[in-house]
Amino acid sequence: AIGSDALAQITTGNDNVCLGSSAGYALTTANKVVFIGRQAGDAVTTTGGSNVSDGTVAIGYQALTALTSGAGNVAVGYQAGLALTDSQYNTVVGYQALIADDQSDRTTAIGFKSLMNQNGGTGNSGNTAVGYATGFENVTGTGNTWLGYQAGLGGTGSNSNNVGIGSDALVAITTGSHNTAVGYQAGDSITDGNSNVLIGRGTGVAMTSQDEMVLIGNDAGAAINHDDADGTIAIGYNAGL
């Protein structure tokens, strides 16, 4: 341990590495943790029960600073996983990634401010977000997969069970669910539309609230934005224009 108050209260814990002021401050009996950075993991205390904190990794200023006994957490970056308390099996990498959530489990947030506003309470979030500001606005939604610059960034609201792959895919999503959008700006105007499948660059770029559409091909359905279009199937370049 190196740093003022690093591992200050350790009793029987073994094989721990703590570097930085107050890093691992409250540790008593936890084992094999790695805390690097000022106040990194400074609230983690003991092992025991189903929430063993053995093996926790927190690297960065205030990374996992509120964690007490959650199991299987890894946080790397400035204030990564800042508010997590007894959460489990989260992987958080990036500046202020997953900064607001205090109890959700099984979240993967990788990227600058990825899933920054998520705070769904106890239980599994099942959200996976990789990329700059991915899933940024989603609060209580679960089961989303976001991959790419601002994929699923969203507006005010919570959404669940969406897949957005590609830069700005589903970037405006609010409460829509069960959408799959793959490609640059695929479905980038959808807000509360549901159960759509969009594959290709710029597919469905104008649609906002439509449901159960299948658009495949670059710019397929690019001009569609009317509720009468629910259920449309368009396949091919510029199909459905």
Side-chain angles (χ1 to χ4, degrees):
I2 299 175
S4 173
D5 287 328
L7 275 182
Q9 301 188 52
I10 195 71
T11 55
T12 60
N14 299 301
D15 303 315
N16 299 297
V17 176
C18 295
L19 305 176
S21 175
S22 297
Y25 172 83
L27 275 178
T28 55
T29 62
N31 305 296
K32 300 177 178 66
V33 305
V34 176
F35 296 150
I36 301 175
R38 185 172 185 268
Q39 295 179 336
D42 62 333
V44 175
T45 54
T46 63
T47 64
S50 60
N51 288 334
V52 292
S53 50
D54 283 7
T56 299
V57 176
I59 300 175
Y61 173 75
Q62 291 187 335
L64 294 180
T65 189
L67 189 73
T68 56
S69 59
N73 295 293
V74 175
V76 179
Y78 174 82
Q79 294 184 330
L82 176 77
L84 293 174
T85 54
D86 56 355
S87 302
Q88 305 183 68
Y89 314 121
N90 298 293
T91 300
V92 187
V93 180
Y95 178 99
Q96 292 187 334
L98 201 68
I99 192 174
D101 205 330
D102 57 356
Q103 288 189 300
S104 293
D105 301 330
R106 294 173 173 84
T107 296
T108 299
I110 300 175
F112 175 86
K113 296 190 176 182
S114 177
L115 294 175
M116 182 176 180
N117 290 302
Q118 176 178 302
N119 194 10
T122 59
N124 299 332
S125 88
N127 290 312
T128 298
V130 180
Y132 175 93
T134 44
F136 181 90
E137 293 288 356
N138 189 35
V139 179
T140 60
T142 60
N144 296 295
T145 299
W146 309 118
L147 175 60
Y149 172 82
Q150 292 189 157
L153 181 146
T156 302
S158 295
N159 50 82
S160 297
N161 303 311
N162 296 292
V163 175
I165 300 175
S167 178
D168 290 329
L170 294 176
V171 69
I173 194 80
T174 56
T175 58
S177 65
H178 298 95
N179 296 291
T180 298
V182 180
Y184 171 70
Q185 294 184 337
D188 69 347
S189 295
I190 290 178
T191 55
D192 55 354
N194 300 294
S195 303
N196 298 290
V197 176
L198 314 172
I199 300 175
R201 183 204 65 210
T203 49
V205 292
M207 57 188 290
T208 57
S209 302
Q210 289 67 43
D211 302 322
E212 298 173 344
M213 295 176 60
V214 177
L215 307 175
I216 300 175
N218 287 349
D219 297 322
I224 296 175
N225 187 20
H226 195 285
D227 287 343
D228 288 346
D230 287 359
T232 295
I233 297 174
I235 300 176
Y237 173 71
N238 278 345
L241 279 179

